[in-house]
Amino acid sequence: MKLTYSLIAREEYLEILYFLADNYSEVTALKFEEDFLSNIKHLENFPESFPKFHNTCKRKFKVNKNVTVIFQFNENEGTVEILNFWFNRSNPDLLLQHL
């Protein structure tokens, strides 16, 4: 399984890590990264086990109670692309417009 990240997802991931380290602690940032990577390991083996995002072909997983990751799985190509990190309190309609 080939895993890629959109440019937006790369930026969002780093922004989240820096925000957590600066405003909370490095331990909090590391915990977020650990939780994210744990989901990635599962995703690489079982991408279809994650629920779909609304009624789209995109899928999602929660990193924690605050952040959900939106990704796209292409079974024919054997690829997964991380598209966005989404703050769960945000309006999902806005995310749908970006996807």
Side-chain angles (χ1 to χ4, degrees):
M1 182 70 52
K2 182 179 178 184
L3 180 68
T4 61
Y5 295 79
S6 71
L7 292 176
I8 291 171
R10 287 178 198 221
E11 290 176 12
E12 291 169 338
Y13 182 65
L14 292 175
E15 285 177 13
I16 291 168
L17 290 177
Y18 289 136
F19 175 83
L20 293 172
D22 290 346
N23 293 285
Y24 295 93
S25 69
E26 285 189 30
V27 172
T28 303
L30 290 172
K31 173 71 171 128
F32 178 87
E33 186 172 37
E34 180 181 296
D35 292 343
F36 172 70
L37 294 176
S38 174
N39 277 292
I40 290 297
K41 285 182 184 178
H42 185 76
L43 173 69
E44 289 176 328
N45 293 312
F46 308 103
E48 293 182 41
S49 68
F50 293 91
K52 290 192 175 183
F53 178 71
H54 289 260
N55 291 320
T56 69
C57 61
K58 314 299 190 265
R59 295 184 178 270
K60 65 181 180 176
F61 65 82
K62 277 189 176 181
V63 177
N64 58 31
K65 67 180 182 177
N66 299 311
V67 178
T68 294
V69 171
I70 309 300
F71 69 92
Q72 184 165 318
F73 171 55
N74 185 322
E75 187 174 8
N76 294 333
E77 295 179 12
T79 61
V80 171
E81 182 180 17
I82 304 297
L83 300 172
N84 284 92
F85 288 79
W86 188 252
F87 293 98
N88 295 330
R89 292 184 179 176
S90 301
N91 183 346
D93 293 335
L94 295 175
L95 179 57
L96 286 169
Q97 292 173 4
H98 293 279
L99 298 176

